[in-house]
């Protein structure tokens, strides 16, 4: 496996999993029923679900939004290159399983800065014969280094359109200006015809219990920054939004058989937009 710094990491190299503090990816894993989490993550997850019982519904809505986005970009827009920033712990189906079903030649680069994701990155490597997959251990805040990575440029042709996914990740960047900057840095490098798919956490629909969830995250060392719809829309400045625009993720092109979800049970805006 390969790290974002360009050095090869052996399968038996020790990884510091930072189990003394909560991490968003592991909390997410716990709430969705995974096993790649630790006591501090479960403590935050349990307290958060007690404060806001809709948290599991919200996280599934976020996950299925990613599935629909991947399918839309591959099947409806013909995108065959994907950069997934903030991958999280592998949970099937992963992005490559979605898009390679429609475009077997799809190439996907996954990135995350959580060492536990690095430890499980091999689970992301089962590509079709026609396609390619890579995982880069990198921080989106260091966008220039990520985009200059030989591993990324070996898999993705940045002269051709790319589907950039930033799903359930931006709430871990507390400062608004920094969040806008890192997204723009990546989008600016991508060619015309590329797409940005992003989701942005919000407390617009149920602010009182979500304030308690935010407090749990912060008290255990993890950032959780909510943003209004106006702030969410700004991530897509200069891009052409696909219908239905910036909406709660469960309202973005829902599947015909999707069951009803209350607006108060989803704390995430999402959208897909094309770079002109």
């Amino acid at each position: 496996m390969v790290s974002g710094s360009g050095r090869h990491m052996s399968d038996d190299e020790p990884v510091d999993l930072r189990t003394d503090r909560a991490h968003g990816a592991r909390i997410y894993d716990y709430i969705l029923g995974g096993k790649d989490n630790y006591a501090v993550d479960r403590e935050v997850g349990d307290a958060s679900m007690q404060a806001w019982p809709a948290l599991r519904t919200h996280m599934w809505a976020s996950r299925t939004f990613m599935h629909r986005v991947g399918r839309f970009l591959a099947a409806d827009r013909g995108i065959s290159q994907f950069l997934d920033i903030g991958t999280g712990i592998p949970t099937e189906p992963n992005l490559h399983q979605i898009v390679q079903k429609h475009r077997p030649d799809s190439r996907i680069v996954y990135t995350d800065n959580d060492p536990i994701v690095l430890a499980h990155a091999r689970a992301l490597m089962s590509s079709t014969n026609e396609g390619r997959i890579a995982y880069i251990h990198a921080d989106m805040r260091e966008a220039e280094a990520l985009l200059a990575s030989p591993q990324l440029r070996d898999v993705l042709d940045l002269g051709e359109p790319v589907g950039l996914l930033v799903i359930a990740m931006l709430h871990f960047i507390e400062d608004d200006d920094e969040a806008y900057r890192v997204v723009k840095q990546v989008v600016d490098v991508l060619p015309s015809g590329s797409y940005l798919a992003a989701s942005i956490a919000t407390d617009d629909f149920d602010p009182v219990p979500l304030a308690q969830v935010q407090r749990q995250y912060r008290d255990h060392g993890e950032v959780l920054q909510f943003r209004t719809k106006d702030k969410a829309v700004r991530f897509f400045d200069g891009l052409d939004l696909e219908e239905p625009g910036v909406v709660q993720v469960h309202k973005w092109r829902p599947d015909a058989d999707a069951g009803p979800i209350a607006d108060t049970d989803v704390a995430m805006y999402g959208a897909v937009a094309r770079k002109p």
Side-chain angles (χ1 to χ4, degrees), residues 115-135:
I116 200 169
V117 181
L118 173 61
H120 290 271
R122 285 187 300 275
L124 295 168
M125 297 303 173
S126 55
S127 175
T128 58
N129 292 330
E130 303 96 320
R132 292 189 64 189
I133 299 174
Y135 176 82

Side-chain angles (χ1 to χ4, degrees), residues 72-235:
F72 171 77
L73 292 177
D76 295 354
R77 294 295 181 262
I79 298 296
S80 61
Q81 300 190 108
F82 296 86
L83 174 57
D84 182 2
I85 294 181
T87 300
I89 295 168
T91 304
E92 292 193 351
N94 292 295
L95 176 63
H96 67 277
Q97 294 166 316
I98 298 290
V99 301
Q100 288 184 341
K101 181 177 179 180
H102 300 279
R103 291 290 304 263
D105 60 336
S106 292
R107 288 166 284 161
I108 301 95
V109 171
Y110 291 106
T111 76
D112 204 292
N113 69 339
D114 183 2
I116 200 169
V117 181
L118 173 61
H120 290 271
R122 285 187 300 275
L124 295 168
M125 297 303 173
S126 55
S127 175
T128 58
N129 292 330
E130 303 96 320
R132 292 189 64 189
I133 299 174
Y135 176 82
I136 301 173
H137 188 61
D139 193 322
M140 188 182 184
R141 295 174 183 85
E142 301 171 0
E144 292 178 359
L146 168 63
L147 293 166
S149 161
Q151 291 75 33
L152 183 145
R153 291 177 178 264
D154 184 50
V155 176
L156 302 182
D157 177 0
L158 297 185
E160 297 294 331
V162 174
L164 169 63
L165 277 71
V166 188
I167 306 295
M169 180 271 180
L170 290 166
H171 49 275
F172 298 127
I173 302 178
E174 189 163 17
D175 182 76
D176 289 343
D177 289 339
E178 183 181 21
Y180 295 132
R181 175 184 60 79
V182 295
V183 172
K184 187 175 187 301
Q185 274 188 306
V186 181
V187 171
D188 283 352
V189 171
L190 303 181
S192 174
S194 294
Y195 287 83
L196 167 65
S199 60
I200 302 98
T202 185
D203 62 353
D204 282 355
F205 299 92
D206 206 5
V208 173
L210 285 167
Q212 297 181 54
V213 174
Q214 184 181 58
R215 191 177 308 113
Q216 283 296 326
Y217 272 64
R218 291 181 172 178
D219 285 352
H220 290 82
E222 181 59 283
V223 171
L224 178 55
Q225 184 65 29
F226 294 121
R227 294 182 168 95
T228 63
K229 185 172 184 179
D230 285 346
K231 289 185 176 183
V233 170
R234 280 189 58 191
F235 285 102

